[in-house]
Amino acid sequence: MTDATNGQDPGAPPQSKGLGRRWVFGKDISSWPMQKVAHAAQRKAELESRISLWAAGFPIENEATLSEDRRKWETRLRVRVEPPSQEWSLILGDVLYGLRSALDACVWEFAHIDGAMPHKPNLVQFPVVRDPANWDKALRERLQSVPREVAERIEMVQPFNRPLGQVAVDPLVILTDLNNTDKHRASVSVSVDPHGIRQNVSVTFDSEEASERNAPPDITYHFPSLADQALVVDARFKDPVREVRGGVTVGMRFTVDAPMGKEGIGSLTSGLVQNVHDVLNFIAVGPASPEELAEMSGQNDEGWLPVDIQADESGRTFTTSARQDDSRQSS
């Protein structure tokens, strides 16, 4: 007789958490989840390519002007070609959906492994749980017929394993929130924001006294939303300026509104793709066994420098450092 939650035999001897059977995608279990990740990565590359193509056309210029009384100097943005933000946002939505559905597809495969059948298949999905008090319910409903070791591995990657202040920035939470926003509320918008101003400007006056009166310069830097004629730099002078040489360069950052604020689209999508790929592999393979950890640390192989492997409180993150062992060092 098996447990109704995860197909575990109540009479079976206890095992270390997450250890047990291992599966290989494409051999022991369908490669469909990993193909979804690969497709999401492909759409991510397409998004980056389209952004690069737009940027290569020099769609934005900086225009500097000196006021008639020569006491005010400004630099404004001139937008020659508007960014196709809506098109980019649609592609980003595809990336998010592909990654989230890869997680769900993986759980679905394991819920039907070896002929298993969930009693409420419409509830089966990859759970993302922020509060450990909600885990038991997620286990019963979302992982109904998933093998015990797989359910334990999924528990080990849950956001609630992080310190409380880091739960909101867990990649699984970010992915879930962005995907839900894109599906149920509004599009997840990709935007172009001025980011980083480099200045190479020299100002000359009619006299040394005027130069001294205007030191240090009275300059304000702005980081506006991308719009034609948006003010970027304005400088005010006490005396008329004879000449202004040089100018400023305004960098552009391609961002998306994430739970922790605006995030660069490249780093965000790269991180999410890598995280989902790693989570799927961990679910299929599980943590290293004590024997494997011993082998990795060199305890069973002469000539290897011993390594201390320390797990953090979650039991999932390991830090390593080499130990100096006199018995292994040459004299």
Side-chain angles (χ1 to χ4, degrees):
M1 183 175 180
T2 59
D3 189 313
T5 55
N6 300 100
Q8 179 183 0
D9 182 353
Q15 300 185 37
S16 298
K17 194 168 188 176
L19 296 179
R21 182 177 172 184
R22 294 175 171 178
W23 290 265
V24 176
F25 285 105
K27 180 181 178 182
D28 307 313
I29 193 170
S30 171
S31 61
W32 187 239
M34 281 299 189
Q35 287 178 306
K36 282 181 169 287
V37 175
H39 180 69
Q42 186 179 49
R43 292 293 278 165
K44 167 189 170 294
E46 180 183 350
L47 173 60
E48 293 173 343
S49 177
R50 294 198 183 199
I51 290 174
S52 296
L53 183 62
W54 175 80
F58 298 97
I60 300 172
E61 297 176 345
N62 304 320
E63 182 178 78
T65 58
L66 186 62
S67 64
E68 289 187 9
D69 64 0
R70 308 186 73 81
R71 293 173 184 267
K72 187 174 182 181
W73 181 81
E74 294 182 343
T75 296
R76 294 179 179 270
L77 296 178
R78 294 307 309 270
V79 181
R80 296 173 54 246
V81 181
E82 292 285 343
S85 299
Q86 190 170 23
E87 176 186 315
W88 296 345
S89 299
L90 287 170
I91 300 175
L92 175 60
D94 291 345
V95 175
L96 299 172
Y97 175 77
L99 294 175
R100 174 64 225 197
S101 64
L103 295 169
D104 292 338
C106 182
V107 169
W108 181 262
E109 291 291 336
F110 278 115
H112 293 81
I113 201 79
D114 297 331
M117 185 65 65
H119 58 282
K120 292 184 178 180
N122 60 310
L123 295 180
V124 173
Q125 65 175 244
F126 186 95
V128 176
V129 182
R130 307 170 204 218
D131 186 343
N134 298 325
W135 174 248
D136 287 343
K137 180 181 179 183
L139 184 64
R140 291 191 306 270
E141 295 182 354
R142 306 304 187 190
L143 306 177
Q144 300 164 31
S145 52
V146 168
R148 171 198 54 79
E149 57 266 58
V150 172
E152 290 179 350
R153 295 165 191 171
I154 293 174
E155 180 184 4
M156 293 168 73
V157 300
Q158 289 302 305
F160 63 70
N161 289 306
R162 292 179 177 270
L164 188 59
Q166 297 180 17
V167 171
V169 296
D170 184 281
L172 293 175
V173 170
I174 294 172
L175 173 61
T176 299
D177 288 350
L178 289 176
N179 185 56
N180 286 341
T181 297
D182 187 68
K183 286 195 307 180
H184 305 302
R185 300 172 192 171
S187 65
V188 175
S189 298
V190 177
S191 59
V192 184
D193 303 306
H195 176 75
I197 297 174
R198 288 188 296 176
Q199 175 179 294
N200 183 22
V201 178
S202 63
V203 179
T204 56
F205 295 89
D206 289 329
S207 66
E208 288 295 329
E209 292 79 8
S211 296
E212 292 176 0
R213 281 194 296 270
N214 286 275
D218 182 9
I219 303 176
T220 303
Y221 300 94
H222 306 269
F223 292 90
S225 298
L226 182 66
D228 194 42
Q229 294 294 334
L231 180 63
V232 178
V233 179
D234 67 287
R236 295 159 297 277
F237 308 104
K238 298 175 182 178
D239 298 273
V241 173
R242 176 194 294 176
E243 184 181 21
V244 178
R245 292 184 178 181
V248 298
T249 301
V250 182
M252 293 294 157
R253 188 181 186 210
F254 303 91
T255 65
V256 59
D257 288 325
M260 59 285 196
K262 284 186 176 291
E263 282 289 312
I265 189 68
S267 59
L268 177 68
T269 53
S270 295
L272 293 178
V273 168
Q274 186 63 54
N275 179 260
V276 172
H277 182 274
D278 292 346
V279 166
L280 293 181
N281 273 327
F282 183 78
I283 292 171
V285 176
S289 67
E291 293 77 18
E292 289 167 326
L293 289 176
E295 184 175 352
M296 284 189 289
S297 70
Q299 295 174 17
N300 295 333
D301 294 284
E302 289 298 322
W304 283 53
L305 180 66
V307 176
D308 288 329
I309 302 179
Q310 301 294 332
D312 66 4
E313 293 180 356
S314 72
R316 297 187 294 113
T317 302
F318 295 87
T319 57
T320 62
S321 59
R323 286 191 283 111
Q324 295 301 320
D325 188 337
D326 292 340
S327 65
R328 299 228 181 171
Q329 305 299 315
S330 58
S331 57

